[in-house]
Amino acid sequence: MIRHAACLLATLALCACSTLGTSSVDDAGEVPKAVALAREDLAAGRTEQALERMRDARELEGLSIEARDEVELLLERSAEQRISELSRADADPADLAQLLDYDLPQQLSVAAGLAAARGFAAQDEPYEAFRTLRDLETKFPLHHGRAEAGAILIDVGLRLARSGGGFWVWTDRADSFAVLEFLVLTYPGEKRCDEAFFELATMYEQDEEYAMAIQRHEELLLAHVESPLSSASQARIPHLRMIAIDSPDYDRRELLRARRELEDWLAKHAGHELEREVQLDYADCLQRLVQSDLGIASFYRRIDRPFGARYHAARALETARVSTSPTLIARADAFLAGLPQVSELPGEQRTPSDSQFSHDSTELREALERQRPQTERPKDAQP
């Protein structure tokens, strides 16, 4: 009985092979037969065989125009059915991704690539979804499915960035950088790309890469001015500028830039939920500017440059008054009061610039270091 069953199975297999035939087409003379077999394959749901037959036929030389047109049309029909078949939830998205190597027309390739990416995302393979869409963009730049590709990428990129942990947490985070960076560089204006910019800026800040964090926030503001995240990005930029400053002289240009940005934010966003945080940053910025001027004034006093000392002490007092900090005002006022009066000097010496002294001077750096505030945000400051 077993032997008879085995024979029966072998016979059925041989019959099936005979019915299906081979998908290989080696000669132009075989094309009409291949077309007929491909039609039978499609009718029987054998989409893979039909597609392979027509791929082989397309590569042959010596086809007539009519035969080539017939092959191309049947190839597209086979590809459409194959894509539909492989788009089921239980199908392997890797099979769909392979269709990108079939040199199909752009519309079909894009359909296959997007369906593969959706499948990978649904099966919790976010990085494979990214790779598929990256390959699709490489083959067809500016393709018509960019909006859907962007939506898939933001979903998988944020999923990787916000991975809950476990053994692969660092791999997921590294992969999220690759996905989100590709997204913001390739589809910067697509819907929800503002979330990608903001997430990247946050991750760069966590890694203390402040220049990159600032850049991504600035790009968010440029590409998504109406984004609900824009006010948060605008507030974060001056905060990051100040975090990045670590020299004793505080890089006054960056401080002045941060001050302008903070004042602009406060003028436009009164009552915003971030207002208190921005006020604290503004107080911090003004305090640093005061400390910078007092350090420079101290240096000028030490090298017997009384006019320079009074100029910077007066500027420190003016900034302290803007801060409304009693401590800063009292300190700057006392410093200025302790300086000798000076007679009027020639015009070119009346307003000494910060560049008139050497920032590399050991004395100056020591003077500025002594003026460095003990806290980043003075408790008594009320901007």
Side-chain angles (χ1 to χ4, degrees), residues 106 136-144 146:
Q106 177 173 333
L136 182 62
E137 184 66 29
T138 300
K139 288 179 178 294
F140 302 104
L142 305 178
H143 62 78
H144 63 277
R146 290 166 65 88

Side-chain angles (χ1 to χ4, degrees), residues 109-219:
S109 291
V110 171
L114 292 174
R118 287 195 300 270
F120 281 127
Q123 295 182 16
D124 199 24
E125 297 185 66
Y127 195 75
E128 290 303 316
F130 156 65
R131 289 179 57 187
T132 302
L133 293 174
R134 182 185 60 189
D135 291 346
L136 182 62
E137 184 66 29
T138 300
K139 288 179 178 294
F140 302 104
L142 305 178
H143 62 78
H144 63 277
R146 290 166 65 88
E148 183 175 357
I152 296 171
L153 285 169
I154 185 63
D155 284 337
V156 299
L158 292 178
R159 187 190 311 177
L160 287 166
R162 299 167 184 175
S163 174
F167 181 77
W168 299 108
V169 62
W170 294 112
T171 300
D172 285 354
R173 193 170 189 275
D175 288 348
S176 73
F177 270 111
V179 176
L180 295 176
E181 281 291 347
F182 175 80
L183 174 61
V184 301
L185 293 175
T186 310
Y187 312 126
E190 290 298 329
K191 187 178 180 180
R192 293 187 63 204
C193 200
D194 56 333
E195 295 179 53
F197 280 117
F198 199 89
E199 190 71 27
L200 279 169
T202 300
M203 291 193 296
Y204 281 125
E205 180 179 346
Q206 292 168 350
D207 292 347
E208 299 184 3
E209 295 186 41
Y210 301 122
M212 285 300 300
I214 290 172
Q215 181 176 330
R216 291 295 175 256
H217 280 304
E218 289 176 335
E219 289 166 346

Side-chain angles (χ1 to χ4, degrees), residues 9 17 80 158 202 221 277 296 333 344 348:
L9 288 174
C17 290
E80 288 175 355
L158 292 178
T202 300
L221 295 174
E277 285 296 310
I296 297 169
D333 194 31
E344 192 70 22
E348 65 272 12

Side-chain angles (χ1 to χ4, degrees), residues 241-255 288-289 291-292 296 359-361 364-373 376:
R241 289 195 199 285
M242 293 191 293
I243 291 178
I245 297 171
D246 59 3
S247 61
D249 62 354
Y250 293 130
D251 192 345
R252 191 173 183 89
R253 279 189 310 178
E254 283 296 283
L255 279 178
R288 294 191 194 198
L289 287 168
Q291 302 295 346
S292 173
I296 297 169
H359 282 255
D360 294 325
S361 163
L364 173 60
R365 294 179 71 82
E366 289 176 351
L368 289 169
E369 191 63 49
R370 284 192 294 271
Q371 298 297 330
R372 187 185 288 271
E376 288 293 320

Side-chain angles (χ1 to χ4, degrees), residues 25-46:
V25 185
D26 301 317
D27 184 83
E30 299 177 3
V31 169
K33 181 180 178 182
V35 168
L37 288 173
R39 294 186 190 283
E40 292 178 12
D41 287 333
L42 286 181
R46 298 187 296 268

Side-chain angles (χ1 to χ4, degrees), residues 20 22-23 25 34 37-38 41 49-57:
L20 293 175
T22 175
S23 64
V25 185
L37 288 173
D41 287 333
Q49 290 91 328
L51 185 56
E52 291 297 336
R53 290 185 200 281
M54 293 302 93
R55 281 188 73 204
D56 287 345

